[in-house]
Amino acid sequence: MQETLRGSLWMVVAMAGFAIEDSLIKQASTGLPVGEIMAIFGFGGWFGFLLLTWRRGQRALVPEILHPTLLLRAATEIFGRLFFTLSLAYSTLAATSAILQATPLAVTLGAAVFFGERVDWRRWSAILVGFFGVLLILRPLPQSFDPASLLALFGMLGFAGRDLATRAAPPRLSHLQLGVYGFFVLIPTGLGLMLWEGGAVLPSPQQSGWLLATILVGIGAYYALTSAMRLGAVSVVAPFRYSRLLFALILAVLLFGERPDTLTLIGAGIVVASGLFMLRETRQTAPA
């Protein structure tokens, strides 16, 4: 129970950091290619975690780097980060963050399927209701559907896979080593996307400041998330991701003047309510 509490607190800290990071990336994307942002962000995060790893006396390159779960984690990291960054650039912060709130539902589903964690019929029902909330946000009807919203959906699925792979990673690997690998894979991904977008753009001093802040905040949030997913039961820790929505909505209104519509708010509320119900059921069924 103590480890689960610590994991939950780490998750709230991570979500606050990620909401700030998302806002900074969205600011920078108004004048910079998405691939360039990913490459710079990946390099800064990789270098920061590399220094932290060396400071702890740990090796950055270890045999476990070729472990199947690490390769899967790298692939899902690339998939999730690529589509989520594109969503921040081409969709609203509020809608992108609202769709991302389905990640704990996907993680709980994956924990039941791959880790054998017990999920009763009540929590299965919560998962289904939560995904209905996602459909309300997506509005998959010809007259109201925004194709850019699918970017956030793909990003959410990628992040869920990354979190599950983090849980399954070899215990010998530290949070810092996982951070080194997670950020490193963003560098070639960003460079490839940047070439496809037509090349790099020299950042202005203001954009450089946003990118630097993004790297620093991202390192802290990434460390907190990795810590959270390796402490306690995934089905308990994961629902605390919903705190990210509160931070994101506040920043969306204050920084970008966004006004989420009624269906977005209802859908987000359903997703959050489903996660909170699932959390309550998990606590009631947990062994004393």
Side-chain angles (χ1 to χ4, degrees):
M1 290 300 295
Q2 185 176 6
E3 284 199 347
T4 298
L5 176 60
R6 289 172 55 203
S8 301
L9 292 176
W10 272 119
M11 184 63 78
V12 173
V13 172
M15 293 306 104
F18 281 131
I20 296 172
E21 174 196 315
D22 295 343
S23 300
L24 293 167
I25 289 176
K26 188 169 182 63
Q27 288 276 18
S29 67
T30 58
L32 295 175
V34 173
E36 182 175 350
I37 294 173
M38 284 189 63
I40 293 174
F41 178 68
F43 178 81
W46 167 77
F47 186 71
F49 269 96
L50 193 63
L51 292 179
L52 292 172
T53 300
W54 287 342
R55 184 178 179 184
R56 291 280 186 89
Q58 300 172 1
R59 290 187 301 162
L61 294 177
V62 294
E64 285 82 359
I65 193 174
L66 297 179
H67 193 280
T69 56
L70 263 294
L71 299 178
L72 177 61
R73 187 177 187 273
T76 52
E77 178 79 59
I78 291 172
F79 189 85
R81 177 62 65 176
L82 173 61
F83 282 102
F84 187 68
T85 305
L86 289 170
S87 182
L88 287 173
Y90 297 111
S91 187
T92 63
L93 176 61
T96 298
S97 299
I99 292 173
L100 191 68
Q101 302 315 300
T103 304
L105 302 175
V107 170
T108 301
L109 174 62
V113 173
F114 298 110
F115 299 149
E117 290 195 11
R118 182 177 178 273
V119 179
D120 58 24
W121 69 269
R122 294 180 180 84
R123 283 182 284 167
W124 283 119
S125 300
I127 291 173
L128 293 176
V129 172
F131 283 125
F132 172 73
V134 172
L135 287 179
L136 288 180
I137 300 169
L138 291 174
R139 290 188 283 279
L141 298 175
Q143 64 272 22
S144 58
F145 177 64
D146 178 13
S149 61
L150 289 177
L151 297 171
L153 180 63
F154 294 149
M156 179 272 291
L157 294 175
F159 286 150
R162 178 197 63 187
D163 291 351
L164 289 168
T166 298
R167 181 72 173 185
R172 181 168 176 264
L173 294 175
S174 69
H175 307 335
L176 299 178
Q177 288 169 320
L178 290 175
V180 171
Y181 310 145
F183 276 102
F184 177 79
V185 297
L186 300 182
I187 302 174
T189 304
L191 291 175
L193 179 60
M194 182 178 64
L195 293 176
W196 183 78
E197 291 175 311
V201 174
L202 182 65
S204 67
Q206 186 180 43
Q207 290 170 333
S208 298
W210 288 336
L211 291 173
L212 178 59
T214 300
I215 291 169
L216 296 177
V217 174
I219 290 174
Y222 200 100
Y223 178 87
L225 176 62
T226 305
S227 300
M229 293 308 300
R230 302 192 79 174
L231 291 172
V234 172
S235 56
V236 177
V237 173
F240 282 93
R241 276 184 173 272
Y242 294 126
S243 60
R244 181 175 186 164
L245 181 58
L246 175 61
F247 299 123
L249 288 176
I250 293 173
L251 292 171
V253 172
L254 294 180
L255 298 181
F256 304 106
E258 296 179 11
R259 295 295 184 269
D261 60 26
T262 302
L263 279 181
T264 297
L265 293 175
I266 292 176
I270 290 175
V271 173
V272 171
S274 299
L276 293 176
F277 175 80
M278 187 167 56
L279 174 60
R280 185 177 71 87
E281 288 297 311
T282 301
R283 286 178 171 175
Q284 289 183 350
T285 58

